[in-house]
Amino acid sequence: MKPHVPLTKSTPVSPYDQPAWNVSFTSSPGWVKARTCAVWALVAFAAGALLVPVLSGSPGPTVAALQKAGATVSNATVVDRPTSVERDLSEGAVRGYDADLVLSVPNGPGRLPVHGAYTRDRPGEGAAVEVLWSPGAPRLGGVVHARRDLHLFARPHWQAFADPATGRGALFGLVAVLSVGILMGAGLTFTSGTDALEKLAWSPLAQTVRAAMTVAVYLAWLPMLTGHRAPQMVGLLASGSFMLLLLGYCFTSVRAVGKG
């Protein structure tokens, strides 16, 4: 048997004798910073997504009651002289009118009260409007709003950016929070050393704080996700939860700034 000769520095080694994985991505500075930025982008998107329902607003108690009673949209006619008519002004121009109306709905009630109806033109007796109402509960009245898509309210589920009146603001909020979050993440990432980012990723304190923030945000949104009315303080926490995510992540990341 040929005796074994140990390899030395001068002994050539075949490339086929090398291990298949000879590059460590976990210690690569570029890989560490790239995955840190990716996590920041995910956190920023989640924060912006939480802002969307806040800016989209609630449909209101009347719409919620109509949805539970089986809401539908019908064409109706104003049968009485409108009362409490007020102009909606924007920079001196009239955008619409708010008024209390009494409507007649085909195959429905002859007198359906609608409080705070919004119309583009000044309402008058005999005018035609669209109304959201419930055939099974006409006592709830109806909703008239010319700047809202009432057909969306007739379907009791939430859609992002569905309402033209609030959709643009919600989309702007998402883009703004996402952009701010990515810029914050990029700034904190590229001013921190690779070793500091690695330590931060496995830091018990940072993991505990971020996990606690996630639980707090979930508990704040749970009542609304299950269709219940949240207490005032819980609602405030849910409304500001997008800032909680970004600021909490920021405060736990600044420890790595300037460190190697």
Side-chain angles (χ1 to χ4, degrees), residues 15-239:
Y16 297 102
D17 295 333
Q18 298 292 335
W21 284 94
N22 57 2
V23 178
S24 177
F25 283 101
T26 57
S27 60
S28 169
W31 172 244
V32 171
K33 291 184 182 296
R35 71 189 186 196
T36 303
C37 286
V39 173
W40 259 100
L42 179 62
V43 173
F45 178 80
L50 287 171
L51 183 63
V52 171
V54 175
L55 293 180
S56 297
S58 169
T62 302
V63 173
L66 290 173
Q67 288 176 341
K68 291 181 180 179
T72 188
V73 178
S74 301
N75 293 319
T77 304
V78 180
V79 294
D80 276 353
R81 182 178 179 180
T83 58
S84 303
V85 180
E86 296 182 1
R87 296 183 299 173
D88 176 24
L89 299 175
S90 176
E91 297 181 354
V94 179
R95 298 195 307 172
Y97 295 85
D98 290 294
D100 293 338
L101 306 177
V102 178
L103 307 178
S104 174
V105 182
N107 301 319
R111 298 183 65 83
L112 181 72
V114 177
H115 298 287
Y118 185 88
T119 58
R120 296 190 182 277
D121 300 322
R122 188 179 185 89
E125 189 173 352
V129 295
E130 268 193 342
V131 61
L132 178 76
W133 68 296
S134 172
R139 67 184 184 282
L140 296 175
V143 173
V144 173
H145 203 301
R147 298 182 62 197
R148 301 260 176 123
D149 188 347
L150 298 179
H151 293 275
L152 293 175
F153 288 141
R155 299 192 293 269
H157 62 273
W158 181 82
Q159 292 182 355
F161 319 123
D163 186 0
T166 58
R168 286 187 293 271
L171 179 59
F172 176 81
L174 171 61
V175 173
V177 173
L178 179 60
S179 301
V180 170
I182 291 177
L183 289 175
M184 288 170 57
L188 291 171
T189 299
F190 288 102
T191 55
S192 303
T194 304
D195 292 341
L197 291 175
E198 286 279 29
K199 292 179 181 178
L200 179 65
W202 296 101
S203 168
L205 177 61
Q207 290 184 2
T208 301
V209 171
R210 292 169 181 176
M213 288 191 303
T214 302
V215 172
V217 170
Y218 171 76
L219 293 177
W221 281 95
L222 185 60
M224 285 155 281
L225 294 174
T226 54
H228 296 83
R229 185 180 297 275
Q232 185 176 5
M233 290 304 298
V234 175
L236 290 175
L237 178 60
S239 300

